[in-house]
Amino acid sequence: MYLLVVVISLLLSSVPARSRPVEDFNEKIFWKSGQGMDGPLITFGDIAVPTGFQNADPCTARRCKWRKSRNGLVYVPYKISNQYSPDEIKVIKQGLNSFTGISCIRFVPHNGQRDFLNIKSDSGCYSYLGRQGGGQVVSLQRRGCVYDYIVQHELLHALGFHHEQNRSDRDKHIKILFQNIIPQQEHNFKKRKTNNLGTPYDYNSVMHYSRFAFSKNNEPTMIPIPNRNVVIGEARKMSPNDILRINKLYCR
């Protein structure tokens, strides 16, 4: 265990955290550390899967949605661990509050509700997909995950949204270069039967991974088509399409 902690610390210190996309941070934590760590099964880079659901998307049915109240708002309770500094809590709350002005989603402090988000500094950045019941972990590790766009990314998972590059229609918009992917990480590029809510594929989504995600050789693992020069995976906030999808799924 001591060796594992040292290896992770060296990996995290080798590149400035601010410059790393969320999938790069998790690749180093979950792939390098192997299968011996306690905690949930992590799929698609940063999505936690409850035991027993390893071969199924846990958010394929309506039951994973957070419930809308009679006033039309969707209240999602949360707890923030005391592991964080005041400045880190400020960043996390900024991410939580960023949904207020653009949707019916309201992240509210936990006050005895059965279902809530338990925001803590675990190993890497990850979230369960949709409402799971009880206190479900949203991990924002202190070194590398506490940035506005990463908070938004993981909260969108908690609301039920998958990665953009896993959309059912992705092959019309990106080409996956499997020959460049780290062995045994190909599952991160599996297509899902997603509800795309009538919205276009979005290279600028905060849910899109970078073109070098899970690369074994510093070569791209995915390229946009037909224009391979389109920028992907560099969003630092929710895109208009991200916001539109929240409203289509929850607020109409």
Side-chain angles (χ1 to χ4, degrees):
M1 179 59 71
Y2 174 77
L3 177 60
L4 172 62
V5 172
V6 171
V7 170
I8 290 175
S9 298
L10 289 172
L11 286 166
L12 294 180
S13 63
S14 62
V15 182
R18 186 176 298 276
S19 68
R20 295 196 307 272
V22 61
E23 77 277 6
D24 187 47
F25 183 81
N26 282 331
E27 173 189 326
K28 289 177 171 62
I29 292 292
F30 294 111
W31 179 65
K32 294 290 186 181
S33 62
Q35 301 299 317
M37 295 179 65
D38 293 333
L41 172 69
I42 303 298
T43 64
F44 296 95
D46 65 337
I47 297 176
V49 181
T51 302
F53 286 93
Q54 284 85 344
N55 295 317
D57 186 332
C59 197
T60 56
R62 185 178 178 84
R63 62 179 173 79
C64 76
K65 288 178 63 177
W66 296 84
R67 297 185 181 95
K68 183 183 289 187
S69 64
R70 291 183 179 179
N71 65 5
L73 299 178
V74 178
Y75 295 102
V76 182
Y78 69 86
K79 284 183 179 179
I80 299 177
S81 170
N82 60 11
Q83 298 166 289
Y84 298 105
S85 70
D87 285 344
E88 289 166 336
I89 291 175
K90 181 179 179 181
V91 172
I92 293 170
K93 286 187 175 180
Q94 285 174 343
L96 291 162
N97 293 335
S98 67
F99 289 76
T100 298
I102 51 93
S103 74
C104 63
I105 303 296
R106 299 292 184 271
F107 291 101
V108 296
H110 181 254
N111 187 26
Q113 298 93 334
R114 176 182 177 275
D115 300 341
F116 63 95
L117 303 181
N118 182 15
I119 301 172
K120 60 189 293 188
S121 178
D122 201 355
S123 298
C125 332
Y126 68 80
S127 173
Y128 289 88
L129 197 59
R131 179 175 60 86
Q132 296 294 313
Q136 63 188 73
V137 172
V138 174
S139 175
L140 298 170
Q141 186 168 329
R142 295 187 65 189
R143 185 177 175 86
C145 299
V146 186
Y147 297 100
D148 290 348
Y149 69 99
I150 294 180
V151 176
Q152 288 181 341
H153 181 108
E154 300 306 337
L155 291 176
L156 283 168
H157 281 320
L159 291 175
F161 293 97
H162 223 298
H163 294 129
E164 194 75 4
Q165 71 273 4
N166 300 118
R167 273 175 59 132
S168 56
D169 62 349
R170 66 99 184 274
D171 289 336
K172 299 177 182 178
H173 307 281
I174 58 171
K175 180 179 180 181
I176 306 300
L177 304 177
F178 286 97
Q179 68 271 23
N180 295 331
I181 297 173
I182 295 170
Q184 300 182 346
Q185 295 300 313
E186 295 87 355
H187 65 274
N188 289 297
F189 298 86
K190 183 179 179 180
K191 282 194 298 185
R192 308 301 296 181
K193 293 182 179 179
T194 52
N195 176 6
N196 299 325
L197 299 165
T199 62
Y201 192 91
D202 187 5
Y203 298 115
N204 295 315
S205 171
V206 77
M207 304 305 285
H208 206 306
Y209 274 3
S210 73
R211 68 179 64 223
F212 297 99
F214 297 97
S215 176
K216 68 180 180 182
N217 53 12
N218 293 320
E219 294 294 325
T221 53
M222 55 183 142
I223 55 174
I225 53 176
N227 182 1
R228 64 181 297 138
N229 295 317
V230 171
V231 175
I232 60 172
E234 296 187 10
R236 290 299 179 263
K237 63 179 180 179
M238 289 185 286
S239 72
N241 275 315
D242 290 327
I243 295 169
L244 177 61
R245 291 164 190 165
I246 298 169
N247 283 280
K248 281 197 166 190
L249 184 62
Y250 279 100
C251 307
R252 296 181 179 177

